[in-house]
Amino acid sequence: MQSNVRAKIQAFGGFLTAMVIPNMGAFIAWGFITALFIPTGWIPNEQFNKLVGPMVSTLLPLLLAYAGGKLIYDTRGGIAGTIGTIGLIVGANIPMFLGAMIMGPLSAYIIKKFDGMIEDKIPTGFEMLVNNFSLGIIGFILCLLANSFIGPAVQEANNIISIAIKALVSTGILPILALINEPAKVLFLNNVIDQGVYYPLGMQDALNTGKSIYFMVASNPGAGLGLLLAYAVFGQGASKSTAPGAIIIHFFGGIHEMYFPYVLMKPITIISMICGSACGIFTFQLFGVGLAAGPSPGSIFAYLALTPKGNFLGVIAGVLVAAIVSFVITSFILKVSKANNDEELNASMIQSKAMKQEGKDLFNSVTTGKNSFNNKISFIAYACDAGMGSSAMGASLLKKKLAKMGIDIKVEHFAIEKVPENVDLIVTHKNLYDRAKMVSGNKEIITIENYLKDTNIDMLIERIKQENNK
């Protein structure tokens, strides 16, 4: 029951991500314009500074609304979403990010339901007329309703949230957010937090000040760096050998999912992540720093690129402090308990290898409580939450391994909700299995724990090799 609830929350976060991530280039462009050209920016420019307001108040919310509407009902839904959302924007005195993330999908859902009701009732030859006028009329009504009722309600809700957040900031206890952020992240709920809460608040904050700490409270790569460094120095077996590669991908590539399995392997290390993240947030607060836009991915390069003038010392200090605190605590945990968990990890790997020797038909006959899978694999979907970070890396590694063996199989990466129907097999992290199962139909799902080196991937490659040798 709990895993099903978590899967649904993850799916909600994935939906938010699918609205935000495709538009991150636009958000980053706005961040650069803000960091460079506002009066306190690197190169103040009165003309270019005029771009800041219209982009954040109109362009970015409309992009979110279109993306959200398109997710629900393709292009027609995207158009309905933008029509409804412009009603929120006009007359509002705040950027309507939260409103766009509500109104875009809602408008698309309404037009989709309407189309379903009249699908078989349109006279032949009148399809285009009905489709165009129905979208126009429904969009017109949604726009007026949004402007008159939904917009003011969203603005009032936003004011309440802003007051609560400002009260939290004024108390100086913003680091307590780490108690929520870090456990949620390792359960793959990070996108619910970032895209659903912190990024909209950060954009509103950045409009007034040119920067925001909210972009940093959950995306700081420092704590994950410290944890992985501790595993690289004091870990054993697979955890020690894979940690250096994970460091590069996490810290420089910005794919934070790389450290999640290391926390899950030894759950007590969540303490080091919470403490490291909290100390990082405290340091950011102490220096009064922020970023100009949301860093996506959360790479140190993205952090530095989006750091406004005069904030570099505090930003770098916050990342380093988080890394040092996390490293020290994780190192202590590994030193006092390393034998138990590393033995468990090695035993798990040995057991997996033994399972492989017990039968080459393991994947063909069983897995995850679904039907037997005996068809030759020709299309593999590597799936993760957003369909960009860990899945892109995993798909690339798998393709390279297969290519070295002279095997040509289609391997692509997707967000879980976007996995196409014609795939033969889905690869995803074990903590995303319930969510993948909700949307995969009867597809075979193979789960992994480590993105760089996983026994189940080795078994999959061996299976494909056997199939191609038949």
Side-chain angles (χ1 to χ4, degrees), residues 19 23 26-27 55 58-69 82 85 100:
M19 272 195 280
N23 294 308
F27 280 78
M55 285 184 70
T58 304
L59 174 64
L60 298 180
L62 287 179
L63 286 174
L64 289 176
Y66 183 83
T82 55
T85 300

Side-chain angles (χ1 to χ4, degrees), residues 252-422:
F252 298 109
I255 303 175
H256 290 201
E257 287 93 339
M258 292 307 301
Y259 78 76
F260 296 176
Y262 295 84
V263 176
L264 295 172
M265 183 171 64
K266 193 180 287 287
I268 194 174
T269 57
I270 194 66
I271 296 173
S272 61
M273 293 302 300
I274 291 172
C275 293
S277 178
C279 290
I281 295 171
F282 176 77
T283 305
F284 293 146
Q285 269 193 303
L286 189 65
F287 281 88
V289 297
L291 297 183
S296 182
S299 160
I300 187 61
F301 296 133
Y303 256 58
L304 296 178
L306 294 171
T307 298
K309 183 179 179 181
N311 285 241
F312 279 97
L313 178 60
V315 169
I316 294 172
V319 173
L320 288 177
V321 167
I324 292 169
V325 171
S326 176
F327 174 80
V328 171
I329 298 175
T330 305
S331 298
F332 173 77
I333 292 172
L334 293 177
K335 281 183 177 181
V336 300
S337 65
K338 62 183 180 181
N340 292 335
N341 249 357
D342 284 322
E343 287 175 3
E344 290 175 5
L345 177 63
N346 292 331
S348 176
M349 294 177 66
I350 292 171
Q351 181 182 11
S352 295
K353 291 178 180 178
M355 290 170 61
K356 177 180 175 181
Q357 294 300 320
E358 287 173 1
K360 298 290 184 179
D361 297 327
L362 175 65
F363 282 111
N364 296 325
S365 58
V366 179
T367 69
T368 66
K370 294 183 179 293
N371 300 327
S372 297
F373 301 95
N374 297 304
N375 295 329
K376 189 172 182 179
I377 297 172
S378 60
F379 186 4
I380 298 174
Y382 219 112
C384 73
D385 190 24
M388 298 182 70
S390 55
S391 63
M393 178 190 66
S396 177
L397 289 174
L398 182 55
K399 278 195 283 191
K400 288 178 181 178
K401 289 179 180 179
L402 293 173
K404 285 183 180 180
M405 301 168 63
I407 299 174
D408 183 19
I409 286 180
K410 186 177 182 181
V411 182
E412 295 185 4
H413 57 95
F414 302 93
I416 289 178
E417 282 75 23
K418 292 295 183 179
V419 173
E421 295 182 359
N422 60 330

Side-chain angles (χ1 to χ4, degrees), residues 10-343:
Q10 287 173 343
F12 174 68
F15 185 82
L16 296 177
T17 301
M19 272 195 280
V20 176
I21 291 297
N23 294 308
M24 279 310 302
F27 280 78
I28 291 172
W30 177 83
F32 282 139
I33 292 171
T34 303
L36 291 172
F37 303 126
I38 62 174
T40 57
W42 287 93
I43 45 175
N45 186 293
E46 184 177 352
Q47 180 64 28
F48 292 155
N49 183 43
K50 294 178 182 178
L51 296 169
V52 174
M55 285 184 70
V56 75
S57 62
T58 304
L59 174 64
L60 298 180
L62 287 179
L63 286 174
L64 289 176
Y66 183 83
K70 189 172 182 180
L71 285 171
I72 297 294
Y73 195 38
D74 203 39
T75 303
R76 190 167 165 84
I79 294 170
T82 55
I83 297 172
T85 300
I86 196 66
L88 299 177
I89 294 171
V90 175
N93 56 19
I94 60 170
M96 274 291 177
F97 295 110
L98 291 174
M101 296 171 83
I102 296 170
M103 199 64 198
L106 176 62
S107 300
Y109 178 78
I110 291 172
I111 194 68
K112 182 179 181 179
K113 284 296 182 183
F114 176 82
D115 285 356
M117 292 169 55
I118 67 166
E119 184 176 4
D120 300 322
K121 300 179 177 64
I122 303 175
T124 303
F126 286 82
E127 291 85 0
M128 182 178 294
L129 181 68
V130 172
N131 287 337
N132 287 343
F133 271 83
S134 62
L135 180 56
I137 293 170
I138 292 175
F140 155 74
I141 295 171
L142 290 170
C143 184
L144 296 182
L145 289 174
N147 185 264
S148 302
F149 302 105
I150 302 175
V154 171
Q155 189 159 325
E156 185 61 31
N158 187 86
N159 291 336
I160 293 172
I161 294 173
S162 297
I163 292 170
I165 292 293
K166 287 176 182 177
L168 178 64
V169 173
S170 66
T171 63
I173 60 173
L174 197 62
I176 203 171
L177 290 174
L179 288 170
I180 301 171
N181 298 341
E182 295 309 315
K185 284 171 70 175
V186 298
L187 294 175
F188 291 85
L189 301 176
N190 47 314
N191 292 307
V192 177
I193 294 173
D194 261 348
Q195 274 77 45
V197 180
Y198 295 136
Y199 278 20
L201 289 173
M203 294 297 290
Q204 184 175 333
D205 203 22
L207 178 62
N208 299 321
T209 63
K211 64 184 181 182
S212 177
I213 194 174
Y214 299 125
F215 293 132
M216 311 165 80
V217 292
S219 64
N220 186 352
L225 171 65
L227 176 115
L228 292 171
L229 281 171
Y231 268 102
V233 176
F234 300 108
Q236 290 185 357
S239 64
K240 183 181 180 70
S241 64
T242 58
I247 288 171
I248 294 172
I249 297 168
H250 161 72
F251 192 64
F252 298 109
I255 303 175
H256 290 201
E257 287 93 339
M258 292 307 301
Y259 78 76
F260 296 176
Y262 295 84
V263 176
L264 295 172
M265 183 171 64
K266 193 180 287 287
I268 194 174
T269 57
I270 194 66
I271 296 173
S272 61
M273 293 302 300
I274 291 172
C275 293
S277 178
C279 290
I281 295 171
F282 176 77
T283 305
F284 293 146
Q285 269 193 303
L286 189 65
F287 281 88
V289 297
L291 297 183
S296 182
S299 160
I300 187 61
F301 296 133
Y303 256 58
L304 296 178
L306 294 171
T307 298
K309 183 179 179 181
N311 285 241
F312 279 97
L313 178 60
V315 169
I316 294 172
V319 173
L320 288 177
V321 167
I324 292 169
V325 171
S326 176
F327 174 80
V328 171
I329 298 175
T330 305
S331 298
F332 173 77
I333 292 172
L334 293 177
K335 281 183 177 181
V336 300
S337 65
K338 62 183 180 181
N340 292 335
N341 249 357
D342 284 322
E343 287 175 3

